[in-house]
Amino acid sequence: MQRFAATCEAVAATTKKTEKVRLVADYLGSLPVEDAARAAIFFTARPFPRCEERTLDVGGAQLWQTVAQLSGADEPTMDRVYRQHGDLGSMTAELLASRSPEPPPLRLGDVADAFEELSRARGPTQKLPRLEALLRRARPIEAKYIVKIITGDLRIGLRENLVEEAVAAAYDVSLETVRRAAMLSGDIGLTVHLAVEGQLDQVRLRLFHPIDFMLASPAESAAEAMDYFSDGALVEDKYDGIRAQAHKQGSQVRLFSRTLADITAQYPELLPALAVFPGSFVVDGEVVGWREGRALPFNELQKRLGRKQPDPALLEDVPVALMAFDLLYRDDHLLLDTPLAERRAELSGLVGSATGVHVQLAPVEVCTSAAQLQQAFEAAQARGNEGVMVKTPASLYLPGRRGKQWLKLKQALATLDVVVTAVEYGHGKRRGLLSDYTFAVRDGDRLLEIGKAYSGLTYAEIQQMTEYFKQHVLADEGFRLVVEPQVVVEVAFNNIQRSRRHAGGYALRFPRIVRLRPDKDAGQIDTLARVQELFARQAKGT
Ligand code: AMP
């Protein structure tokens, strides 16, 4: 473990990727295969291979407590050292440095065994003594990286793809086969074993072990999107739900989320619906709230997110459907290297005749011009979907990649229609003009302030609005005037934040006024529910 840690320090000390790879490759190459496999996993900042569901379940508070106990340091000292490094691993190394005598070096196998035990231990009462025993046996530099592995970030500028490069270099095998084996098995340790044995091409997808999802790049307009597709594009609706990978074999079905978490129990109605299709398969799709032939808005589906075991009332309230749009595996055949158009045809053969509502083949059309794509986009929005996905018919399925083979075309960034509730005088050129507007959204009869914008209006508009506001003052608070909530403006913003200061619990960041909305009155402004929906969507990253 000491050499592992020393290698990590050397990797951290260089910014050159080739040098990082060389250091890791040299180290791996010098180890017996068992240890190289363990080290490769640890280099990815994981105690266990990615494909495993096992976790250590040791939090920062437990680490903090253990280090305090072992080092005898008081709270202020711990705080100071932590702030100095901003990292629990480095803090641990510094605080344990004064212990003497130094323990004998740990072997990688010792650390792997200790992780194993920690994962089996239940609750803090079982975990803490094991964690303490492990750190007690570790030298400071070893403890530093043990803690970093536990927290899941080595912070040495070594991403997973560099570890794969190092494995390829260490055993003189092609990077592509290493990447593929690591992707399919989800186990960089197993990949090391196979590289040594010359068996990398033997890796098979294992059902019920999810693989990374292929992602899409944004396109600004239909015209820009079509630039990438000279021979036409396959166009599907972009559903506003959550991505899911469904694995099926025999009567067993499991669902995985975009973070590869097992979400099977959250969508019980999808399981029998998927089990009816023949053979074994892996289907990629989007889970959406679904009622009467239409996808529900995302905030409806949101009621089901995170509910581990939804009750019957919720199942009825928000029914879901899996919109299937890709097929990655069918009856022993991996289809990742099959062009999308063919995968689509297979998918259609598999689920196309489905009659139930819970699993549906996502409709697809071919577009050959920007005008046609624009039409498809508008039709998708009219169906209540976010926009469209535009895909190259010949594209292979590239797990974890965000390329130009898949493009997403969605609605421009959302704006909110809000009502001005208070105004303040501006500075500089705007002295004497009421140019800073506090504004609110609606929640039933209440108005809830969610931000303040320095006007984006023209000078003439500001002058005109100043006169108007002066006539509609409800309260003069000196530096600001509370005004009758009548003036509606449309605001754009960078994002939405949670806020304790605002009664509604949210604040817009960097809001700017896009335009006055004289066509709307305060009864027609956006609601808190809409803000919550946008906030949820933003958290989801779509
Ligand atoms: P992004 O995650 O930023 O690449 O945006 C694409 C997301 O849109 C995917 O991760 C899916 O969750 C979702 N999505 C909705 N409909 C589709 C579709 N027809 N094809 C691919 N992704 C889709």
Side-chain angles (χ1 to χ4, degrees):
M1 189 67 195
Q2 182 142 11
R3 278 191 59 216
F4 173 84
T7 307
C8 288
E9 296 277 283
V11 168
T14 174
T15 52
K16 282 206 199 113
K17 284 193 185 152
T18 48
E19 185 60 10
K20 287 178 192 277
V21 170
R22 189 192 63 77
L23 286 161
V24 175
D26 285 354
Y27 169 63
L28 291 178
S30 74
L31 294 172
V33 60
E34 281 293 330
D35 277 340
R38 292 180 181 121
I41 297 167
F42 294 169
F43 276 128
T44 63
R46 288 196 183 87
F48 308 113
R50 180 163 60 86
C51 66
E52 291 195 15
E53 283 172 33
R54 273 189 298 174
T55 56
L56 293 179
D57 217 8
V58 170
Q62 290 171 13
L63 283 165
W64 186 274
Q65 195 180 335
T66 306
V67 174
Q69 208 149 33
L70 282 176
S71 66
D74 57 17
E75 253 330 91
T77 311
M78 303 235 339
D79 272 342
R80 178 179 54 75
V81 178
Y82 178 73
R83 250 182 275 127
Q84 197 179 328
H85 297 286
D87 171 75
L88 279 174
S90 304
M91 177 192 90
T92 306
E94 181 168 333
L95 291 173
L96 298 188
S98 48
R99 285 182 313 163
S100 63
E102 243 190 10
L106 276 172
R107 290 173 306 149
L108 287 163
D110 298 331
V111 179
D113 291 346
F115 283 157
E116 179 90 46
E117 265 197 53
L118 259 177
S119 85
R120 267 190 271 123
R122 292 281 153 257
T125 42
Q126 286 192 5
K127 288 196 192 278
L128 278 174
R130 289 175 171 83
L131 181 62
E132 192 186 317
L134 171 61
L135 292 182
R136 190 184 294 284
R137 287 164 67 201
R139 294 180 170 193
I141 183 148
E142 295 172 334
K144 175 174 176 176
Y145 285 95
I146 289 171
V147 169
K148 282 170 180 269
I149 293 168
I150 295 175
T151 55
D153 192 355
L154 298 185
R155 300 204 186 178
I156 56 172
L158 188 71
R159 292 225 315 273
E160 199 142 344
N161 59 347
L162 294 187
V163 181
E164 290 166 0
E165 279 187 41
V167 171
Y171 306 107
D172 199 18
V173 288
S174 93
L175 176 57
E176 205 180 314
T177 52
V178 169
R179 282 211 202 294
R180 196 176 169 79
M183 180 268 292
L184 285 177
S185 66
D187 187 343
I188 190 76
L190 174 70
T191 304
V192 165
H193 278 282
L194 296 172
V196 171
E197 293 155 14
Q199 304 270 317
L200 283 172
D201 52 0
Q202 297 301 310
V203 182
R204 296 277 170 268
L205 175 128
R206 290 189 288 168
L207 277 167
F208 307 114
H209 292 271
I211 57 173
D212 283 331
F213 291 81
M214 182 159 173
L215 304 171
S217 300
E220 292 300 325
S221 64
E224 186 212 313
M226 280 320 284
D227 273 353
Y228 291 95
F229 305 96
S230 47
D231 303 328
L234 295 181
V235 178
E236 298 156 357
D237 282 15
K238 184 175 194 303
Y239 301 96
D240 197 7
I242 62 149
R243 190 80 174 266
Q245 197 176 96
H247 291 227
K248 186 254 175 188
Q249 184 173 42
S251 58
Q252 205 193 345
V253 174
R254 277 169 80 182
L255 296 167
F256 300 93
S257 73
R258 185 158 149 183
T259 55
L260 310 186
D262 190 327
I263 51 168
T264 311
Q266 295 181 32
Y267 303 102
E269 65 266 65
L270 297 183
L271 311 180
L274 280 157
V276 298
F277 301 113
S280 55
F281 56 79
V282 176
V283 160
D284 186 6
E286 187 90 350
V287 175
V288 290
W290 189 264
R291 186 176 296 121
E292 288 162 17
R294 266 176 91 91
L296 297 169
F298 183 71
N299 61 345
E300 286 289 310
L301 178 68
Q302 217 191 341
K303 297 181 193 156
R304 299 222 14 199
L305 301 185
R307 287 289 194 92
K308 295 266 154 63
Q309 236 103 42
D311 52 46
L314 184 60
L315 292 182
E316 199 166 318
D317 186 23
V318 188
V320 297
L322 175 71
M323 304 307 292
F325 52 72
D326 216 323
L327 183 64
L328 315 187
Y329 174 94
R330 187 177 186 190
D331 297 335
D332 288 334
H333 295 291
L334 190 64
L335 301 173
L336 303 184
D337 294 332
T338 303
L340 174 62
E342 287 174 43
R343 299 202 304 275
R344 261 290 189 167
E346 280 263 338
L347 178 68
S348 164
L350 181 67
V351 303
S353 56
T355 48
V357 288
H358 292 304
V359 179
Q360 302 192 25
L361 179 66
V364 61
E365 69 175 298
V366 179
C367 285
T368 49
S369 70
Q372 211 182 351
L373 180 58
Q374 182 61 30
Q375 222 170 35
F377 173 74
E378 283 163 19
Q381 289 206 323
R383 282 187 284 270
N385 295 323
E386 254 194 306
V388 286
M389 302 292 294
V390 196
K391 303 178 179 179
T392 312
S395 62
L396 312 183
Y397 193 95
L398 304 172
R401 301 270 187 86
R402 190 187 293 281
K404 299 280 186 203
Q405 310 264 28
W406 284 16
L407 295 180
K408 51 184 172 187
L409 187 59
K410 54 184 182 183
Q411 217 167 5
L413 208 62
T415 58
L416 286 171
D417 292 333
V418 296
V419 68
V420 178
T421 50
V423 290
E424 288 171 47
Y425 286 101
H427 303 281
K429 250 180 66 184
R430 293 177 172 180
R431 269 180 57 188
L433 289 176
L434 290 164
S435 62
D436 303 356
Y437 301 170
T438 298
F439 50 81
V441 288
R442 204 163 46 77
D443 183 30
D445 292 337
R446 291 192 306 163
L447 290 177
L448 298 168
E449 290 181 354
I450 54 161
K452 184 168 136 180
Y454 304 94
S455 177
L457 303 178
T458 64
Y459 194 76
E461 279 172 329
I462 298 173
Q463 276 181 319
Q464 189 194 337
M465 293 317 298
T466 298
E467 290 315 311
Y468 177 87
F469 285 131
K470 281 183 178 165
Q471 306 301 315
H472 295 84
V473 176
L474 289 179
D476 186 343
E477 296 181 345
F479 73 101
R480 74 173 202 160
L481 306 175
V482 178
V483 294
E484 289 171 24
Q486 285 174 348
V487 175
V488 176
V489 292
E490 180 179 344
V491 289
F493 47 91
N494 285 19
N495 56 4
I496 303 174
Q497 262 187 331
R498 279 206 184 277
S499 162
R500 286 189 191 184
R501 279 195 310 120
H502 293 78
Y506 296 93
L508 302 188
R509 268 175 60 79
F510 304 114
R512 50 224 175 247
I513 296 172
V514 182
R515 58 190 169 125
L516 292 164
R517 292 297 306 257
D519 53 322
K520 285 200 166 185
D521 63 33
Q524 295 168 319
I525 60 172
D526 277 306
T527 57
L528 181 65
R530 170 84 178 133
V531 173
Q532 284 163 336
E533 180 193 329
L534 292 174
F535 181 77
R537 194 175 288 175
Q538 160 191 309
K540 195 170 66 107
T542 57

